């Protein structure tokens, strides 16, 4: 009799612990925007290729759009039109506040090739996905210039 009561007690505690664990993991999980992140990265590069910089900066957080518009225009003046691009790899990193998506990109501009890292971030709190940075390393005749 005592054995059955002990078994029920342990079983009940085990179920409670498992449920608490499941809710904790589910509640702390970063939003899953993997497909949407790739679509935004593709959209960004297509807008750059078609020289629609004003639409491309709409993919950045509103408070940084003017800065990015100026940066994209300077890049265009320096390198010319983006003629082609491909993602060489995609990395994802979940942090406490959300999830980062890094698109490592091989880009060909009119004047040179460039390696780029386009970073998107999805916050846990609002689940909005924005481009938060773009790092460009331009390669000219085998030498590396300073990143933009």
């Amino acid at each position: 009799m005592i054995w059955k009561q002990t078994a029920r007690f342990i079983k009940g505690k085990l179920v409670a612990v498992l449920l608490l664990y499941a809710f904790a993991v589910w509640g702390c999980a970063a939003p899953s925007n993997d497909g949407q992140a790739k679509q935004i990265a593709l959209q960004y590069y297509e807008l750059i290729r078609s020289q629609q910089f004003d639409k491309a900066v709409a993919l950045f957080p509103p408070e940084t759009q003017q800065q990015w518009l100026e940066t994209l225009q300077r890049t265009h003046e320096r390198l010319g039109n983006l003629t082609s691009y491909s993602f060489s790899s995609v990395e994802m990193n979940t942090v406490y506040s959300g999830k980062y998506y890094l698109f490592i990109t091989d880009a060909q501009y009119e004047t040179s090739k460039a390696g780029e890292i386009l970073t998107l971030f999805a916050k846990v709190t609002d689940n909005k996905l924005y481009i938060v940075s773009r790092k460009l390393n331009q390669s000219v005749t085998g030498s590396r210039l300073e990143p933009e």
Side-chain angles (χ1 to χ4, degrees):
M1 183 73 140
I2 293 176
W3 181 82
K4 286 184 181 182
Q5 289 176 341
T6 305
R8 262 188 272 148
F9 178 77
I10 292 173
K11 186 177 177 182
K13 291 290 185 186
L14 182 61
V15 169
V17 168
L18 289 175
L19 284 173
L20 284 173
Y21 178 76
F23 284 124
V25 169
W26 177 64
C28 294
S32 178
N33 293 313
D34 300 354
Q36 184 184 12
K38 186 166 186 177
Q39 289 304 314
I40 289 174
L42 289 168
Q43 180 183 10
Y44 169 79
Y45 280 106
E46 287 302 317
L47 289 168
I48 297 300
R49 185 161 45 185
S50 63
Q51 300 175 36
Q52 297 179 50
F53 306 123
D54 55 335
K55 291 182 181 177
V57 297
L59 302 171
F60 289 84
E63 62 275 6
T64 65
Q65 290 177 1
Q66 184 59 40
Q67 174 190 352
W68 280 108
L69 180 60
E70 293 166 7
T71 300
L72 294 176
Q73 290 169 337
R74 279 194 316 270
T75 301
H76 183 259
E77 290 169 7
R78 196 172 84 208
L79 301 178
N81 293 333
L82 175 67
T83 58
S84 65
Y85 66 92
S86 64
F87 300 131
S88 57
S89 67
V90 178
E91 297 178 18
M92 292 171 260
N93 186 14
T94 302
V95 293
Y96 179 73
S97 56
K99 189 171 187 177
Y100 284 99
Y101 299 87
L102 286 80
F103 292 86
I104 292 77
T105 309
D106 296 319
Q108 176 66 54
Y109 290 89
E110 285 179 319
T111 61
S112 68
K113 291 182 179 181
E116 297 186 13
I117 301 173
L118 185 69
T119 306
L120 285 73
F121 183 68
K123 288 183 180 179
V124 171
T125 54
D126 62 11
N127 203 23
K128 290 184 181 175
L129 187 60
Y130 287 113
I131 298 173
V132 293
S133 76
R134 176 185 138 248
K135 182 178 178 184
L136 178 126
N137 286 315
Q138 177 188 0
S139 177
V140 179
T141 62
S143 67
R144 285 281 192 203
L145 298 179
E146 289 299 312
E148 192 173 58

